[in-house]
Amino acid sequence: MAVGEYPFPHMHPVKGVKLTAVSAGIKKPGRRDVVLFELAEGAQVAGVFTQNAFCAAPVTVCREHLSKAAIRYLVINSGNANACTGEQGLLDAKATCAEIARQAGVTTEQVLPFSTGVIGEPLPVQKILAVIPDALAKASEQGWDDAGAGIMTTDTRPKGFSQQFDYQGQTITVNGIAKGAGMIKPNMATMLGYIATDAKVAQPVLQQLCREAANKSFNRITIDGDTSTNDSCIFIATGQVNLPEITSPDGELYEKLREVVLAAFVHLAQCIVSDGEGATKFVTVAVAGGANQQECLDVAYAVAHSPLIKTALFASDPNWGRIVAAIGYAGVPDLDATSVRVHLNDVLIVEKGGRAKTYTEEQGQAVMSQANIAINIHLGRGDCAETLWTTDLSYEYVRINADYRS
Amino acid sequence: MAVGEYPFPHMHPVKGVKLTAVSAGIKKPGRRDVVLFELAEGAQVAGVFTQNAFCAAPVTVCREHLSKAAIRYLVINSGNANACTGEQGLLDAKATCAEIARQAGVTTEQVLPFSTGVIGEPLPVQKILAVIPDALAKASEQGWDDAGAGIMTTDTRPKGFSQQFDYQGQTITVNGIAKGAGMIKPNMATMLGYIATDAKVAQPVLQQLCREAANKSFNRITIDGDTSTNDSCIFIATGQVNLPEITSPDGELYEKLREVVLAAFVHLAQCIVSDGEGATKFVTVAVAGGANQQECLDVAYAVAHSPLIKTALFASDPNWGRIVAAIGYAGVPDLDATSVRVHLNDVLIVEKGGRAKTYTEEQGQAVMSQANIAINIHLGRGDCAETLWTTDLSYEYVRINADYRS
């Protein structure tokens, strides 16, 4: 199940990025499950990762390698998360990097490993090692479609973004792919996201933009409130475009690039929500009028995580009492219930501590029957605002997660 | 659906408490939906209430009346929560109290109102006023069974407790009834709980014991993480037993009473969990080895609220990776994943950051197939511990909350 149309776009090549997906037999036979990125020399790489204390072995290795070396290869397997695998998990992740390094003539630290899938099973490292020669041979600038499909697990469709803009006669490309459908409440980044540009960006600027964009996109979505052990988001700048390096977060080129990069992150994050496990609704929760950002987020997450609201959304039931109950228990200090206003899309439903006089059930029903619903909350106590995106809770969510060992 | 057997007990009378349930036509025709308690003069009453900022009108009135007067009557309607009803809701709650007071010859402030049911609909106050004479006439010491049924909404069974103990030749009785099945994550008390004893207890001691007992029972259960707008828990001591008043929280009689009262609160709280909407499992989440109480609670709630864990419980799937993921994102500062141990009942499943060497899938499956499951977590960083109780997440939960306008 998935909400709306998010077709996989035509992916322009990004100069300096070659990639492919091959089949190692980790997922069902015939499905591609190992993706390899090959980056041109000089590429800069930034990353943000899960804050889960039980972070997966590859996340630990990524953090270490990113801090030590110029990254040239990324290897991603789907079907096994290599999480909660103890010391052996770290050895397996490093063995994968070491073998790619050996065959490609780089150092082990120049390879970043990623895994997504079942938690707690040993990584089938021999299967991965066996397909490395094939992956290295096949990597090409045309590999984005295959890579987008190769990183999927319970996703029903691949998620991609590709956009170009011109600057001083040069064309700059921003591409991205992501995966994720369950265990989604990223705290740094989504399950897995890879965004690449051929612009030339200094690493500190790249890292800062990666963090800002993740905070406005992947860190503002939630499907089930479960923060994964493997969340990783990587932002690559190959520097292959014939333009000066961006060395500080300002100037016309930086602003143009930032705009497209933010669009890429937000699009991929929204793709993940629209493909949320069992999702039948795409829900925007926008909280304004807060005294600070945190209380806006607290209210937004309380609404987005409430199983009662999520089941009402599934039922297309304008059960607004559940929304105000969630606002009320979100922990906002000294919240004055009579100053809170709630709109469903542009229909005012709650004001002065009760149902709006103008509200009719038909108005609410008309909004709730749509696939895209905005819950707009105004706290009436300040100027801060936060927006996040989520889904409903359906039979299908229960079926997927009761049947599937993820 | 409900887990296990929690039969409604034989209810001993509590001297000084008369009660009944009558039918006012708020719920489906023929179902009793208005409950009246009549307390003997001299009874002491303590209460704890929801912390939801959108607390219901009757909660506001209860707080006010409790602080002002010696309570003689409690009136409870089911089928309508009188929550998010603005100024009119307060007027309706007070009108109900005033009419009982007029007919019974007490003051309005000596009556406590309670409501449970649909949020945001105007209270059908005329229907309630119409049955007051009948309720006042019928109240008797034998009314506990009827009252237990009369406060139900989505509950599939009434929840009761009755126990007696002897002290210096006198018999002391502790009774309780409660309701609640969804929108359950009490923050003070459950949806509605009424516990009464004929012991003589000074009000400050009663209030303190009420708070302590609620914190160890109703405030340690969660079904869906949604804190209701109407949670109220009332503890009554009629003082009709011929024994000295308990004026401080110590001494043999206090300790004996406290033990039975704690048992009453915990039993009623567990009854609510076992009758949780769509519940097929009764789950105890016990966290020990924490550096402080709060981090134990944070971990316990992260596990208890995770939809992924709850669906795995529904599927009887020992998917322990989801448990460690939840522990990992619970926000415990500097948690060392390698020091955490997790048992399912007494089966060790996780240690040293990964699956226990001794663990087999068959062991986990044997535990998960049971209706009563304990998830025992040791954080390995201190001596604090907390326990709470919850349910699984089933198709039936989604059906109930997608179909039912609560």
Side-chain angles (χ1 to χ4, degrees):
Chain A
M1 222 179 300
V3 190
E5 297 294 323
Y6 287 80
F8 196 77
H10 169 70
M11 301 292 282
H12 306 287
V14 176
K15 285 186 287 288
V17 177
K18 294 179 177 173
L19 67 177
T20 192
V22 297
S23 184
I26 305 170
K27 293 197 294 200
K28 285 182 188 154
R31 285 187 67 186
R32 276 174 283 200
D33 46 23
V34 171
V35 169
L36 187 84
F37 278 70
E38 180 181 318
L39 311 183
E41 209 164 342
Q44 295 294 344
V45 178
V48 286
F49 299 95
T50 184
Q51 296 300 296
N52 195 306
F54 276 93
C55 75
V59 170
T60 303
V61 175
C62 270
R63 287 196 175 108
E64 181 191 333
H65 287 189
L66 262 178
S67 70
K68 280 186 177 169
I71 303 302
R72 294 292 308 282
Y73 290 89
L74 279 59
V75 58
I76 308 145
N77 75 272
S78 51
N80 182 302
N82 193 13
C84 307
T85 43
E87 192 58 31
Q88 188 61 44
L90 289 170
L91 295 175
D92 290 342
K94 287 185 180 172
T96 309
C97 297
E99 182 58 20
I100 291 170
R102 191 185 66 78
Q103 294 188 29
V106 299
T107 68
T108 299
E109 287 75 20
Q110 289 183 288
V111 184
L112 297 183
F114 305 86
S115 297
T116 178
V118 184
I119 296 176
E121 300 289 332
L123 187 72
V125 67
Q126 293 306 326
K127 290 184 179 179
I128 299 172
L129 299 186
V131 298
I132 288 173
D134 189 29
L136 284 169
K138 284 187 177 159
S140 84
E141 288 191 341
Q142 275 68 48
W144 285 96
D145 293 36
D146 289 348
I151 60 176
M152 288 165 60
T153 54
T154 57
D155 308 64
T156 68
R157 54 194 183 193
K159 297 154 182 68
F161 177 94
S162 186
Q163 200 167 309
Q164 295 185 316
F165 66 98
D166 292 331
Y167 185 80
Q168 295 183 348
Q170 300 289 322
T171 298
I172 294 173
T173 302
V174 175
N175 273 15
I177 56 173
K179 66 82 54 180
M183 201 178 263
I184 298 287
K185 187 210 162 184
N187 182 5
M188 264 304 90
T190 183
M191 197 71 178
L192 295 177
Y194 302 90
I195 295 90
T197 178
D198 42 16
K200 195 171 179 68
V201 188
Q203 210 282 335
V205 180
L206 196 71
Q207 181 66 38
Q208 182 187 319
L209 182 53
C210 183
R211 193 169 298 278
E212 179 197 354
N215 274 336
K216 291 181 173 169
S217 57
F218 299 121
N219 288 355
R220 291 295 178 274
I221 65 175
T222 182
I223 289 172
D224 43 23
D226 282 274
T227 303
S228 154
T229 48
N230 290 55
D231 293 345
S232 302
C233 174
I234 294 294
F235 184 24
I236 298 159
T238 64
Q240 300 281 303
V241 163
N242 188 22
L243 283 170
E245 186 177 42
I246 299 171
T247 55
S248 66
D250 46 39
E252 191 187 345
L253 176 55
Y254 174 79
E255 289 303 334
K256 281 195 151 196
L257 178 67
R258 176 175 174 273
E259 189 182 319
V260 180
V261 167
L262 283 178
F265 274 69
V266 168
H267 177 81
L268 292 171
Q270 293 187 346
C271 282
I272 288 175
V273 171
S274 75
D275 195 23
E277 286 173 351
T280 73
K281 305 279 183 181
F282 180 95
V283 184
T284 302
V285 183
V287 179
N292 55 60
Q293 304 302 126
Q294 191 56 51
E295 69 183 35
C296 294
L297 279 179
D298 290 345
V299 169
Y301 278 118
V303 170
H305 288 156
S306 160
L308 290 174
I309 296 173
K310 290 170 104 73
T311 46
L313 286 162
F314 171 53
S316 300
D317 177 8
N319 194 324
W320 56 270
R322 296 179 182 178
I323 298 173
V324 298
I327 298 169
Y329 68 67
V332 176
D334 304 317
L335 177 64
D336 177 4
T338 64
S339 70
V340 174
R341 279 177 294 132
V342 182
H343 288 76
L344 279 181
N345 288 358
D346 54 358
V347 174
L348 178 65
I349 50 172
V350 172
E351 63 175 350
K352 298 174 186 162
R355 183 166 52 186
K357 288 209 168 23
T358 53
Y359 175 74
T360 65
E361 184 86 0
E362 291 66 36
Q363 290 177 319
Q365 189 61 61
V367 174
M368 291 295 276
S369 301
Q370 298 168 29
N372 281 268
I373 297 166
I375 301 173
N376 297 307
I377 298 162
H378 198 285
L379 298 178
R381 48 192 259 138
D383 296 322
C384 294
E386 284 282 357
T387 295
L388 54 83
W389 301 282
T390 190
T391 59
D392 57 336
L393 172 58
S394 67
Y395 293 117
E396 187 68 6
Y397 179 90
V398 177
R399 190 194 64 73
I400 291 168
N401 286 298
D403 285 1
Y404 173 81
R405 174 65 73 95
S406 68
Chain B
M1 223 178 298
V3 190
E5 299 294 325
Y6 287 81
F8 197 78
H10 169 71
M11 301 293 283
H12 307 285
V14 176
K15 283 188 287 288
V17 176
K18 294 179 177 173
L19 66 177
T20 192
V22 296
S23 184
I26 307 171
K27 293 197 297 199
K28 285 182 189 154
R31 286 187 67 185
R32 277 175 282 201
D33 45 23
V34 171
V35 170
L36 187 84
F37 278 69
E38 181 181 319
L39 310 183
E41 207 165 345
Q44 296 293 343
V45 178
V48 287
F49 299 94
T50 183
Q51 294 301 294
N52 195 307
F54 276 93
C55 75
V59 170
T60 302
V61 176
C62 269
R63 287 197 176 107
E64 182 191 331
H65 288 191
L66 262 177
S67 69
K68 280 187 178 168
I71 303 304
R72 294 292 307 283
Y73 291 89
L74 280 57
V75 58
I76 308 147
N77 75 272
S78 52
N80 182 303
N82 194 12
C84 307
T85 44
E87 193 57 31
Q88 189 59 45
L90 289 169
L91 295 174
D92 290 344
K94 286 184 181 172
T96 309
C97 296
E99 183 57 21
I100 291 170
R102 193 185 66 78
Q103 295 189 30
V106 299
T107 68
T108 300
E109 286 73 21
Q110 289 182 288
V111 185
L112 296 184
F114 304 86
S115 297
T116 177
V118 183
I119 295 177
E121 299 290 332
L123 186 72
V125 67
Q126 294 304 329
K127 290 184 179 178
I128 298 172
L129 298 186
V131 298
I132 288 173
D134 189 31
L136 284 168
K138 285 187 176 159
S140 85
E141 289 191 342
Q142 274 68 49
W144 286 96
D145 293 37
D146 289 349
I151 58 176
M152 289 167 58
T153 54
T154 58
D155 308 63
T156 68
R157 54 193 184 194
K159 299 156 182 67
F161 177 93
S162 186
Q163 200 167 307
Q164 295 185 316
F165 67 97
D166 292 331
Y167 184 78
Q168 294 183 350
Q170 301 290 321
T171 297
I172 294 173
T173 302
V174 176
N175 273 15
I177 55 173
K179 64 84 51 181
M183 201 177 262
I184 298 286
K185 188 211 163 184
N187 183 5
M188 263 307 88
T190 182
M191 196 73 176
L192 294 178
Y194 302 90
I195 296 89
T197 179
D198 43 16
K200 195 171 179 68
V201 188
Q203 210 282 335
V205 179
L206 197 69
Q207 181 66 37
Q208 182 187 320
L209 182 53
C210 183
R211 195 171 297 279
E212 179 197 356
N215 274 336
K216 290 180 173 168
S217 58
F218 299 122
N219 288 356
R220 292 295 178 274
I221 65 176
T222 182
I223 290 173
D224 42 24
D226 281 273
T227 303
S228 155
T229 48
N230 290 54
D231 295 344
S232 303
C233 175
I234 295 293
F235 183 24
I236 299 159
T238 64
Q240 299 283 305
V241 162
N242 189 21
L243 282 168
E245 186 177 42
I246 299 172
T247 55
S248 66
D250 46 39
E252 191 187 346
L253 176 54
Y254 175 80
E255 290 302 334
K256 281 195 152 197
L257 179 66
R258 176 175 175 274
E259 189 182 320
V260 180
V261 167
L262 284 179
F265 275 68
V266 168
H267 177 81
L268 292 171
Q270 294 188 345
C271 281
I272 288 175
V273 171
S274 75
D275 195 24
E277 287 175 349
T280 73
K281 305 281 183 178
F282 180 95
V283 184
T284 302
V285 183
V287 179
N292 56 60
Q293 303 302 126
Q294 191 55 51
E295 69 181 37
C296 293
L297 279 179
D298 290 345
V299 168
Y301 278 118
V303 170
H305 287 155
S306 161
L308 290 173
I309 295 172
K310 290 171 104 74
T311 47
L313 285 161
F314 171 54
S316 299
D317 177 8
N319 193 325
W320 57 270
R322 297 179 181 176
I323 299 173
V324 298
I327 299 169
Y329 69 66
V332 176
D334 305 318
L335 177 65
D336 177 4
T338 63
S339 70
V340 174
R341 277 177 295 132
V342 182
H343 288 76
L344 280 180
N345 289 358
D346 55 357
V347 174
L348 178 65
I349 51 171
V350 172
E351 64 175 350
K352 297 174 186 163
R355 183 166 52 189
K357 286 207 168 28
T358 52
Y359 175 73
T360 64
E361 183 85 359
E362 290 67 37
Q363 290 177 318
Q365 190 60 62
V367 174
M368 291 295 275
S369 301
Q370 298 169 28
N372 281 268
I373 297 167
I375 301 174
N376 297 307
I377 298 162
H378 199 285
L379 298 178
R381 47 192 259 138
D383 294 322
C384 294
E386 284 282 359
T387 295
L388 54 83
W389 301 283
T390 191
T391 59
D392 57 337
L393 172 59
S394 67
Y395 293 116
E396 187 68 4
Y397 178 89
V398 177
R399 190 193 64 72
I400 292 168
N401 286 298
D403 285 359
Y404 173 80
R405 173 65 72 96
S406 69

